[in-house]
Each structure stands twice: as C-alpha cells, then as structure tokens.
Amino acid sequence: MKGTRKSPLLITIIIVMLLVTACNTGNTSGENGSPSSSPTEQGQQSAASESKKGPGENPSLNESGFPITNEPIKLDFVAGLPAGSHPDWNDAMLFNEYEKMTGIDIQWQMISTSVLEEQRNIILASGELPDAFYAALIPDGDVMKYGQQGMFIPLNDLIDKFAPNIKKLLDENPDIRKGLTMPDGNIYSIPRVYDPGFTSVLVNPKQWINTKWAETLNLKLPETTDEFYNYLKAIKEGDPNGNGEADEIPYGADGIGRLTKYLHGAWGLQNRGSRHAYVDVNPETKELRFFPTDPKYKEMLEYINKLYSEELIDQDIFTVNSSELLARLQEDVYGVYNSWDPESWGNVENFVGAPALAGPNGDKLVVSNSPLTGLGHFVITSANEYPEATMRWIDYFFSEEGSEMFFMGFEGVTFKRNADGTTEFLDEIANNPNGLSFDQAIAQYLVWPGGGMPGILSQKYFHGGESLPLSVEAAELLEPYLPEETWPPFSFTTEENTRMAAISSDISTYIREMQAKFITGEVPFSEWESYVETIQKMGLAEYMEIYQAAYERYKNG
C-alpha cells in the first residue's frame, strides 16, 4: 500500500492560514481533514518539489492504453473529503491499483468538506497551486473566474486529443457540452454527470407514501392537489397507527424546499429543471419567467399555507434536519415524507413512491435534475507540468471499465461477475459480517460514498439507493411527466457573475424569508403586491437581463 507523502502545498497552506489568522485576529482550528505540516515535512520541501517531476524531465506519454506514462510521475491533487468516504485516499485500494495501471502517483491532500470552501479559497489566494483540484466542489462562477485568470487551464484541446470518453459524452450530449462551455468559449472543468437515461437519479429526492397507513384507512394514492390535501387530512384525523392518540404527522421533510419542489410541477413552475431555482419559461409567451413573482407561485404558497395552518405539515419543517427526519421516520410517525429512499437510507419497508400531482389549472409536471450536476468537480491548474497525462488519468473514469472500477471496485475483492455479465457485490460488502453498513463496507476499498467526485453516475454501476427496485419503480411512475427540456446551469461572464452575486444574494434571501412567512401566516397574502415590488426594487430587471444574455449564449452555443 502506498504511504502518505507530503508536498510543499501543505506548507503554503499553513503559512497563508497563519497570515489570514493574524490579520483577522482570529483562530484557525485544525479540523478533521484540513491540511497540516510539521517541521520535518517543511524540511523536505525541496526534495518533494524535485520528486514531483519523476525520474524523467519529460516522461514518455502513451496516447492510449496503459500505462499512461512509461516513466512514473507524481502529481499533487487537492480533494474534498466527504463524510463516509475512505478517510485517506493515499491508502485507498482504488487509487493504489490505478497507480499500478497508469504509472501516475497521486499525492492526495484531503480537506474535509466541512471546511472545504474556506481551505480551497486560501489555496487559490496563495497562488501556490496543486496540479489539480478533485471533488473540490468549485462554484460555477469560480470556474470561470480562475479560468480567465489563467489559474485553471482550458481543456478543449486536451479533451479532443487525450480524452476519448469525455469527448464522446460531450458529442452525444450537446447540452452538457454547452453547460460546460464558458462565455469565452473554453471548457475549464470536468463535471460529475448523471447518465441521462438514469431517471431515478434525475428525479430525486422523491416523495414517499406510507402504504401501511393507506391500507388501514382504505386510501388510494393521491393524483391531484385536492386529493393530496384530503389524503393528509385523513391521516391526521384517522388514527392510522391505532393508538387512540393524534400523534401522526401527515407530511414531513427535512426542509420546506422538498415540498415546494414537488408541488412546483402541479402549478407548472420550474419547468426547465432544478438547476434554475427561480427562472423558467412562461408556457404562454415562451419567454423567460421569474416565477417567484408569478400568480401561480402565489397560488401554490396559498395551498401550502392551508396545509400548514391545518397542521397537515410537520410544524417544525423549517428547522428539522435530515438526522431528525430519519429518526422520526424510523419511529413510524409519517404518512408522507420527502427525502431519500426508505430502504437504504431509512431502513423502513412500508413506503412506495408518490405519483405526480395535477394542479388546479391542469398542470402536471415533475421537476427534474439536469444530467450536468455541477461544473467544478475537476480542474487542472497552471502548475501542472503533465496536463496531457492528467487528462488521460481522469478520462478513464468516464469509460465503461473505469466506471465499473470506480463504483464496483475489483472482481473477487468487492464484487463478482455473473454468467450473464451482470455484477453484484460480494457479501463482504452487501451483508458485511462485522455489521458495517453498505457505505462503510465499500469505503474500505473505494472513495465514492459521500459524493462529489467527477465521473458518470449510471444505473449499471452505481448501486446506491437510486438504483434499488423501489426507487426505480417510483421513477417510472414519474417519468411520463418529465419536462421535454431540462437546462444545465448557465454560464456567466466575470462581470455578470459579479453583478449576479450582489443581486441574487439579496433576492434569494428575501424570497426564502417571505416564503416561510407566507406559509406560516406570519405575513398575510394581502401583502403579495408589496412582496413583488420589493423584489423588483432589488434589481430584478437587471437580474433578468443577465439571465437572458446567458440564455441566448446557451441556445446559440
């Protein structure tokens, strides 16, 4: 197994952190996963810098097959470490074996996702860059910003020449290519992508209905918003758990956003996908619409207010977190809930997927995710001396074989191959004898639990909750109501990003605050026009002008 090696990057991070701390007279704590160094490591700075180039100044690159380089090279990667993943990727079987295949030794600098944003910004501000950022969750705007500054290199030519799998993905999915391409025409990052045919992950999280309670009260699954209201009312008044107490919670979720996303489709809102929180297309004018000021959005909030005021919604839905939701779910107190799947996440069996709802105006739509989940999952920096080899390194994980290795691991160690060619995890993983959960067992060998890594999430190789039969069946129920077009994230120029950051922050905060106040009744709907006027005064016209420009680039890209 490969031992953990340190690089000069660690020293730079610490120095910059100390300078920032001194300027702010604050205190920077060494949280789990954040970089650290020692005097011994500092003394090794020069040697580590020289060793990075490997034995040859210009190692021979193979344009196909393995190894990628005939002479070994070392690369420094900064990576976001999510909870649940393998704790040190320098010692993960996945990357140890891949090093043997490629001839490329990655020196992983792990940063806990709990402090990732802060640490990543410190590194970028220092100018002392790693060779690449991997699973570092770089915001879309920063991808453009640091690309234009030259800190992230353009990848267009590298993709064409050295990444046949990524090139094939972009050629077959023009929307993904357009979503990745910045206004200056360059691609600066490699994304995480949902397989466009993997409906279960495109429609997620889902809404789930307690079948045991439905059978007890002889209720059919609701198909309209009126039926949904009556369904929740029946749960509240019908004592489905039979204990003679009104302790059932008709509807629960870890945040009101789950419910609003589910109900958007019943009012025809957010009809171009979830990557656009406030903008879609007006079905009548075919023009861009800022839907939080639309009359239909008001109607939806009035409906949710009715549910909340009659205590058909968990009364602390604005504060409950996912851990609390899970605990209540396992106590069997919900008639309907919206979050991750009941089997792998909740370890409960008496739920099925809820159908799409038809709204009062005849709308019936399902808000879906874009296959392009985000841009900044992998970037190559200007410090990288071997960008061609690095591009070949990441491209393999977009191939069939690479996807299988990344998500399934190694035949005979983590999975077996059946006679029909299908794969399944060994009992060591699926039914761990030491009582480890599935994610804990697989994280002994692989790194994907926790998410955020670049690659393709496909139903064939990804065996998380979205691939379970219950989730697949729930997705099939919703699939007929998916929108014809789902937008990836739009890209903005540096100037547009600066203006959008200022305008959208105020608007988003105000929308969330007023949404809660309208739903809870703290603010009456007679104040709706004042709410709309306030948003307009915050710069809505400029917001939409910028959005329109980005939309035009997307259409013509």
Side-chain angles (χ1 to χ4, degrees):
M1 301 287 274
K2 176 172 59 180
T4 304
R5 299 179 178 89
K6 309 297 180 186
S7 79
L9 173 63
L10 295 174
I11 303 159
T12 302
I13 293 171
I14 294 301
I15 293 171
V16 174
M17 287 177 66
L18 290 173
L19 289 173
V20 171
T21 301
C23 292
N24 294 334
T25 65
N27 179 39
T28 302
S29 60
E31 298 187 54
N32 180 39
S34 57
S36 60
S37 66
S38 67
T40 301
E41 293 162 352
Q42 294 171 15
Q44 295 172 343
Q45 178 173 352
S46 177
S49 179
E50 292 179 6
S51 68
K52 173 180 165 181
K53 296 182 181 180
E57 182 70 19
N58 296 296
S60 176
L61 174 73
N62 294 314
E63 295 191 8
S64 62
F66 291 118
I68 292 175
T69 57
N70 290 327
E71 298 179 3
I73 62 173
K74 297 175 183 177
L75 297 171
D76 291 323
F77 283 13
V78 165
L81 178 64
S85 182
H86 191 290
D88 181 4
W89 296 358
N90 291 291
D91 219 19
M93 182 178 185
L94 171 72
F95 292 129
N96 286 340
E97 293 301 315
Y98 194 41
E99 178 187 341
K100 297 174 186 176
M101 295 166 58
T102 62
I104 300 175
D105 179 5
I106 306 299
Q107 306 295 293
W108 294 100
Q109 310 297 339
M110 313 304 303
I111 301 177
S112 168
T113 51
S114 64
V115 294
L116 177 59
E117 180 179 4
E118 173 192 359
Q119 302 277 352
R120 185 188 62 235
N121 290 340
I122 289 173
I123 294 170
L124 290 167
S126 75
E128 294 291 330
L129 301 174
D131 293 301
F133 286 93
Y134 180 102
L137 307 180
I138 300 169
D140 297 353
D142 282 358
V143 171
M144 176 66 182
K145 171 184 174 182
Y146 293 110
Q148 285 202 323
Q149 290 180 5
M151 296 173 73
F152 302 159
I153 67 171
L155 305 179
N156 308 49
D157 291 343
L158 290 172
I159 291 172
D160 287 342
K161 295 177 183 178
F162 300 103
N165 298 299
I166 296 173
K167 185 177 187 301
K168 180 174 184 288
L169 172 72
L170 301 185
D171 288 346
E172 293 178 353
N173 299 275
D175 279 356
I176 295 177
R177 179 184 289 275
K178 287 194 289 186
L180 275 180
T181 304
M182 296 291 102
D184 63 1
N186 286 320
I187 293 173
Y188 293 108
S189 62
I190 302 301
R192 178 179 177 86
V193 173
Y194 293 151
D195 182 341
F198 193 1
T199 305
S200 181
V201 77
L202 293 177
V203 183
N204 210 46
K206 304 173 184 66
Q207 191 134 297
W208 305 95
I209 290 181
N210 189 325
T211 55
K212 183 173 62 178
W213 288 8
E215 291 170 3
T216 298
L217 299 177
N218 196 27
L219 300 173
K220 70 180 186 70
L221 299 186
E223 300 278 353
T224 69
T225 51
D226 284 343
E227 290 178 3
F228 185 56
Y229 165 77
N230 291 327
Y231 188 96
L232 298 180
K233 196 170 181 64
I235 295 293
K236 179 174 176 59
E237 298 174 350
D239 190 27
N241 64 14
N243 67 355
E245 299 179 14
D247 54 355
E248 297 89 352
I249 301 175
Y251 176 89
D254 50 343
I256 196 66
R258 304 283 198 204
L259 179 58
T260 55
K261 181 181 176 182
Y262 177 67
L263 291 176
H264 276 160
W267 273 268
L269 305 172
Q270 209 172 12
N271 54 40
R272 290 300 183 269
S274 59
R275 284 309 306 267
H276 298 267
Y278 302 131
V279 177
D280 66 359
V281 170
N282 187 314
E284 297 177 2
T285 66
K286 307 302 180 184
E287 297 177 346
L288 293 187
R289 170 179 65 175
F290 187 81
F291 64 78
T293 58
D294 191 87
K296 286 189 173 182
Y297 184 81
K298 177 187 176 185
E299 289 181 14
M300 183 195 71
L301 292 185
E302 288 173 328
Y303 175 81
I304 301 176
N305 166 259
K306 179 182 178 181
L307 301 183
Y308 188 87
S309 63
E310 297 185 24
E311 298 186 355
L312 304 182
I313 299 176
D314 197 339
Q315 295 296 282
D316 59 359
I317 194 169
F318 293 97
T319 58
V320 66
N321 61 38
S322 59
S323 297
E324 292 166 337
L325 177 76
L326 177 59
R328 295 177 189 178
L329 177 65
Q330 293 172 337
E331 292 170 1
D332 199 23
V333 300
Y334 290 124
V336 182
Y337 85 96
N338 191 316
S339 192
W340 309 109
D341 74 285
E343 291 184 347
S344 68
W345 180 71
N347 197 28
V348 295
E349 299 179 349
N350 55 305
F351 282 83
V352 296
L357 297 178
N361 305 307
D363 299 293
K364 191 173 186 179
L365 186 72
V366 173
V367 177
S368 64
N369 302 316
S370 166
L372 182 59
T373 67
L375 306 188
H377 293 270
F378 183 84
V379 297
I380 300 175
T381 76
S382 56
N384 193 311
E385 299 176 19
Y386 311 117
E388 298 87 355
T390 306
M391 180 56 71
R392 285 211 57 212
W393 185 95
I394 190 62
D395 181 65
Y396 180 67
F397 293 113
F398 285 80
S399 69
E400 283 283 315
E401 299 84 358
S403 290
E404 180 183 86
M405 186 175 79
F406 188 84
F407 287 108
M408 296 293 298
F410 301 91
E411 188 171 1
V413 178
T414 56
F415 76 89
K416 66 179 179 179
R417 199 176 307 278
N418 300 318
D420 61 359
T422 60
T423 58
E424 61 180 289
F425 284 108
L426 299 174
D427 281 346
E428 163 75 16
I429 306 299
N431 300 289
N432 186 268
N434 298 319
L436 298 179
S437 69
F438 173 82
D439 282 4
Q440 289 171 331
I442 200 66
Q444 296 178 109
Y445 307 94
L446 309 179
V447 303
W448 61 259
M453 298 81 182
I456 300 178
L457 208 66
S458 70
Q459 189 171 343
K460 183 176 181 180
Y461 298 119
F462 178 69
H463 288 238
E466 292 82 7
S467 295
L468 295 176
L470 189 66
S471 287
V472 172
E473 291 170 9
E476 290 173 349
L477 191 65
L478 302 173
E479 191 167 11
Y481 308 104
L482 293 176
E484 293 182 4
E485 182 180 6
T486 301
W487 291 335
F490 293 163
S491 58
F492 301 97
T493 67
T494 301
E495 295 75 18
E496 288 170 345
N497 266 319
T498 300
R499 289 300 301 139
M500 281 295 265
I503 299 171
S504 64
S505 176
D506 291 341
I507 288 178
S508 297
T509 299
Y510 182 69
I511 287 174
R512 289 194 298 269
E513 289 175 354
M514 291 303 293
Q515 181 190 78
K517 290 178 179 179
F518 281 130
I519 289 172
T520 60
E522 182 179 343
V523 172
F525 284 94
S526 59
E527 296 293 321
W528 178 261
E529 291 305 320
S530 174
Y531 155 81
V532 173
E533 290 173 3
T534 300
I535 292 177
Q536 291 171 342
K537 291 176 182 177
M538 288 179 169
L540 180 58
E542 184 179 1
Y543 179 100
M544 292 304 294
E545 286 175 8
I546 296 172
Y547 228 98
Q548 183 70 42
Y551 176 54
E552 294 297 332
R553 287 193 296 268
Y554 165 74
K555 286 196 303 181
N556 300 324

